[in-house]
Amino acid sequence: MLSLVAVSSHSSAESIDIDNYRQLVGDALIDEILHLSDGLKGLRLCNINATASGGGVAELLNREVPIYRALGIEADWRIIHGDKAFFEITKSFHNALQGSEFQLTDGVRQDYLEHNRTCAELLEVSYDIYVVHDPQPAAIRYFHRTRQDKWVWRCHIDSSSPNEQVWEFLRPYIEAYDAAVFTAEPFRPPDLRMDRVAFIAPAIDPFATKNIDLPQNLCRQAIADSGVNLREPLLLQVSRFDPWKDPLGVIQVYRLVKKQRPGVQLALIGAMAGDDPEGWDMLETINAEATADPDLHVFTNLTGVGNMEVNVFQRGADLVIQKSRKEGFGLVVSEALWKEKAVVAGAAGGIPMQFPKGYHQYLVSNAEECAAKLLYLLDNPDEVAAFGRAGRERVRAEFLLPRLVHDQLKLIADLLERGGAQTKA
Ligand code: UDP
């Protein structure tokens, strides 16, 4: 059954006070946000994406929407619901925008457009501005025939070298928008023809349950209670079970490390997203590996691992891995760096931009390299501590929520010509 439902994000506007961020990001940025939002009070803003939980977009909207509301903007969040076949198509589009092979048939084209057309018809409320995330609902703008509002397509994917066939199919629907936003300039497909393209990196909320400060001894105790032996080192990857995040490659890395450090353990935490049918097959494979290995721990949202548990594991783990082969941004990297963790990660998409200066040697391109860096860090606690401090400062300066809110409000103000400075086009 197809529907377009409203999501109420987990935190309410009342629980958010923008002034709390001053101590972290400084007065100038917060004052600028207040100035921009003054000109946007009462604005009706609709975010549209494909899932309310699991994955970075849901994570971002859960934090952004309440902030906008707290700033006096009437922000809503709607998700498109589709059947399994639709999400198989859109997951393939997602992968194809990252460059993978896909056979685009007439049937696929028709299914995708039909779902988007129906969603557009269901979108009866009129807003001043729509922000549509990623390819799943991208054609809604084309089918929604109003002209007095503004539409932004927000791409969270590294689409620098997309599958040509899929991109050529999607491109006219995207060019129907007033603006497109990519995480970084290299992610813009070379032949996209639009007047306004902005580059805005995602960010994490330091006050979210996932990132809030927690005492280290409490985290270690909670991890020990879950069956991990903390007398031995714990490696961690938190990610959807997706081939691009390479969880099987992480297991391979852990086995390489284990040859030198037999006590080492690995925790894989993976949320299952509603719009990600591939994840379920992968979970089965990973569980089969874990059943045969008491030092390999697998946790999912299905067994009650939520934001607090992710926070606890990110803080309590000895080293964090993010062995992505492709990555839009990788919020998990900023989350771990914010917690002063050393991270060994794939040199993919939005990951390198998050790394602090002087630590890019921990960006890797294969399992052997990854294992070697982890072994080095396990033997060098001073390097781990310095990396952690530099990582936290990098995230504080560049990747905390107020910077994202500021950049988005600036783009919106500019599109609506309601105050604010001109946004870089
Ligand atoms: N996440 C989570 N539980 C999990 C796996 C992931 O809460 O089991 C969160 C993770 O902490 C991060 C988001 O989901 O906030 C994933 O965003 P990211 O940008 O890293 O990757 P995406 O899934 O969007 O590709």
Side-chain angles (χ1 to χ4, degrees):
M1 231 272 286
L2 191 62
S3 63
L4 188 71
V5 295
V7 186
S8 49
S9 40
H10 297 144
S11 34
S12 67
E14 294 73 43
S15 66
I16 300 222
D17 184 350
I18 191 81
D19 286 325
N20 289 341
Y21 296 86
R22 286 182 187 276
Q23 46 165 327
L24 296 173
V25 298
D27 289 332
L29 182 60
I30 301 301
D31 290 343
E32 179 69 12
I33 289 174
L34 291 171
H35 169 69
L36 282 165
S37 61
D38 262 356
L40 296 170
K41 288 221 185 308
L43 179 88
R44 292 160 306 162
L45 162 68
C46 181
N47 284 282
I48 302 175
N49 84 318
T51 180
S53 63
V57 180
E59 183 75 24
L60 284 167
L61 290 177
N62 252 311
R63 307 309 303 172
E64 273 181 67
V65 169
I67 285 236
Y68 292 140
R69 290 197 181 152
L71 291 169
I73 294 165
E74 289 177 27
D76 280 342
W77 172 12
R78 290 173 162 249
I79 54 168
I80 58 163
H81 273 199
D83 51 18
K84 188 162 179 266
F86 175 67
F87 285 131
E88 266 160 14
I89 292 173
T90 56
K91 186 72 201 297
S92 308
F93 280 14
H94 177 113
N95 291 339
L97 284 189
Q98 291 192 146
S100 68
E101 286 300 313
F102 182 63
Q103 212 40 50
L104 187 61
T105 62
D106 286 346
V108 164
R109 283 189 176 89
Q110 205 175 328
D111 260 20
Y112 174 78
L113 294 178
E114 272 315 307
H115 273 78
N116 271 262
R117 184 202 301 275
T118 311
C119 286
E121 283 162 5
L122 291 168
L123 195 61
E124 79 296 349
V125 189
S126 89
Y127 290 90
D128 302 305
I129 187 151
Y130 296 83
V131 181
V132 178
H133 299 260
D134 283 343
Q136 300 93 330
I140 289 184
R141 195 280 167 270
Y142 175 84
F143 292 113
H144 201 263
R145 296 187 180 282
T146 56
R147 286 290 175 266
Q148 67 278 25
D149 39 30
K150 297 285 180 192
W151 287 71
V152 176
W153 186 58
R154 195 348 169 171
C155 181
H156 296 270
I157 300 167
D158 173 358
S159 47
S160 47
S161 43
N163 171 297
E164 222 170 282
Q165 222 190 357
V166 171
W167 175 240
E168 274 316 301
F169 168 63
L170 287 175
R171 190 159 65 91
Y173 300 104
I174 287 156
E175 288 176 349
Y177 283 78
D178 298 289
V181 179
F182 297 90
T183 291
E185 202 156 354
F187 296 179
R188 174 190 182 150
D191 55 352
L192 177 70
R193 286 189 291 268
M194 291 181 76
D195 288 342
R196 192 179 299 272
V197 178
F199 305 105
I200 302 177
I204 63 162
D205 187 351
F207 298 124
T209 308
K210 176 163 291 164
N211 298 314
I212 198 93
D213 282 346
L214 295 171
Q216 184 69 1
N217 60 349
L218 181 141
C219 297
R220 300 282 289 181
Q221 183 60 52
I223 292 174
D225 287 348
S226 75
V228 174
N229 169 15
L230 286 181
R231 279 186 295 275
E232 298 289 350
L234 175 65
L235 311 177
L236 169 72
Q237 176 159 302
V238 177
S239 267
R240 285 182 296 108
F241 293 132
D242 177 306
W244 300 108
K245 312 276 185 188
D246 203 14
L248 300 177
V250 176
I251 294 175
Q252 192 193 342
V253 167
Y254 146 76
R255 296 219 159 111
L256 288 171
V257 174
K258 209 169 178 50
K259 282 189 187 159
Q260 314 282 328
R261 297 286 291 255
V264 77
Q265 299 155 96
L266 172 67
L268 288 173
I269 298 186
M272 309 307 293
D275 65 341
D276 184 8
E278 272 179 313
W280 298 94
D281 297 339
M282 192 157 263
L283 176 60
E284 222 171 283
T285 313
I286 291 167
N287 274 336
E289 297 275 346
T291 309
D293 182 346
D295 289 340
L296 172 49
H297 304 273
V298 181
F299 302 98
T300 71
N301 50 338
L302 306 174
T303 50
V305 172
N307 290 331
M308 182 57 86
E309 289 77 11
V310 169
N311 190 346
V312 161
F313 269 85
Q314 285 171 330
R315 286 181 190 281
D318 293 281
L319 296 174
V320 170
I321 307 171
Q322 187 54 44
K323 203 187 159 301
S324 303
R325 293 188 289 126
K326 290 271 182 184
E327 190 63 75
F329 180 71
L331 285 173
V332 282
V333 172
S334 275
E335 288 166 5
L337 293 173
W338 178 244
K339 291 160 190 137
E340 298 198 19
K341 290 292 145 178
V343 180
V344 180
I351 292 178
M353 74 165 83
Q354 299 177 61
F355 264 53
K357 207 163 149 241
Y359 293 90
H360 283 231
Q361 67 272 29
Y362 295 103
L363 293 165
V364 296
S365 50
N366 59 53
E368 290 71 24
E369 227 184 307
C370 189
K373 300 290 178 188
L374 290 165
L375 281 164
Y376 177 81
L377 288 169
L378 285 174
D379 287 338
N380 290 280
D382 290 349
E383 172 83 347
V384 171
F387 189 170
R389 284 192 300 273
R392 183 173 168 102
E393 174 50 24
R394 171 98 189 121
V395 173
R396 188 204 63 74
E398 298 287 339
F399 302 113
L400 293 186
L401 192 58
R403 197 269 308 139
L404 170 62
V405 167
H406 169 269
D407 291 356
Q408 304 245 123
L409 291 184
K410 200 161 168 232
L411 173 67
I412 291 171
D414 191 19
L415 275 175
L416 299 171
E417 290 169 5
R418 284 208 209 172
Q422 285 290 303
T423 306
K424 185 173 141 196

